[in-house]
Amino acid sequence: MRAGSGLVRAWWADGRGLSARAVAELAAAALAPQERLRYEAVSDPLGRAEFVLARFLLRGALGRALGRPPARVRLAADRAGRPWVAGAPGVDVSIAHAAGLVAVAVGTGLAPRTRIGVDVEEVRPVPGAGALALGLFSPAERARLDAAPGAAGDRLWLDVWTRREAYVKALGTGVRALARAPDQDVGHVWRPLRLPRGFTGGLVVVPPA
């Protein structure tokens, strides 16, 4: 998608079928030393697959965009854990994962202070969805949810959630700011992603204030 003079792209990969050996081989090829420490601290096999796949995808995409070997792409994280790319002005990145599915987004040629965020969720019933919506969603969003009961309501709830989550990830403000995220297309651009069956999610671009 276009973002002013820049371009934002997203990719996904499914890690649910990766063997432990394949994950370990990807880790050896894709992770920097500090990332390797974080990877080894993860005990859950699916969590390890998500961690490795995200960085493998992201480095590959950035390598193509920046004209560098993936191993020379320097990823860092701010105090909130938001990833960024060292030595690459006009570039912004975001990572998401859920139930083995990983998505990464890369923006290039972006105006200063333009931020992107991506989020994905497995489609499923959400316990306490109504109460959560009261605390997090706007009146307009809750009205839409009230008109979509059952499975359609669960899917719509997750669609709203992923948009809000992607927005706060773009800003780096964390989940505490979910309730303050604006309604759809207010102060940001939202695009849904084409994901495997059973998942939903999308991409947010927040232009400079």
Side-chain angles (χ1 to χ4, degrees):
M1 63 184 288
R2 302 300 308 184
S5 59
L7 186 64
V8 182
R9 297 184 176 94
W11 296 262
W12 62 264
D14 192 341
R16 289 173 292 181
L18 283 179
S19 67
R21 179 176 179 178
V23 171
E25 290 174 350
L26 278 178
L31 299 185
Q34 286 300 111
E35 294 169 335
R36 181 79 190 195
L37 293 175
R38 291 176 60 191
Y39 160 79
E40 290 175 350
V42 178
S43 59
D44 173 53
L46 194 57
R48 282 192 164 197
E50 291 174 346
F51 185 88
V52 170
L53 268 180
R55 280 138 191 90
F56 178 79
L57 278 180
L58 190 54
R59 280 202 166 87
L62 285 166
R64 292 188 296 272
L66 300 175
R68 305 176 187 173
R72 292 184 57 195
V73 173
R74 292 185 294 152
L75 294 176
D78 62 19
R79 291 182 178 180
R82 189 181 191 280
W84 59 281
V85 187
V91 173
D92 199 36
V93 299
S94 186
I95 294 172
H97 53 82
L101 187 79
V102 170
V104 302
V106 174
T108 55
L110 302 176
R113 299 184 302 281
T114 300
R115 295 290 178 263
I116 68 173
V118 68
D119 193 53
V120 294
E121 288 285 346
E122 184 181 23
V123 176
R124 66 197 187 281
V126 180
L132 287 169
L134 280 173
L136 295 174
F137 297 170
S138 71
E141 289 167 337
R142 295 198 302 271
R144 290 170 57 209
L145 289 169
D146 290 341
D154 292 332
R155 173 62 183 259
L156 181 57
W157 193 99
L158 290 165
D159 287 345
V160 175
W161 173 270
T162 53
R163 183 188 57 77
R164 286 181 167 262
E165 178 84 2
Y167 178 86
V168 300
K169 287 171 70 174
L171 298 186
T173 50
V175 294
R176 66 186 183 279
L178 277 170
R180 299 195 299 274
D183 285 353
Q184 188 168 353
D185 294 332
V186 177
H188 65 286
V189 179
W190 159 258
R191 291 292 182 273
L193 296 178
R194 293 182 180 179
L195 297 171
R197 184 178 179 86
F199 290 88
T200 186
L203 176 67
V204 157
V205 177
V206 183

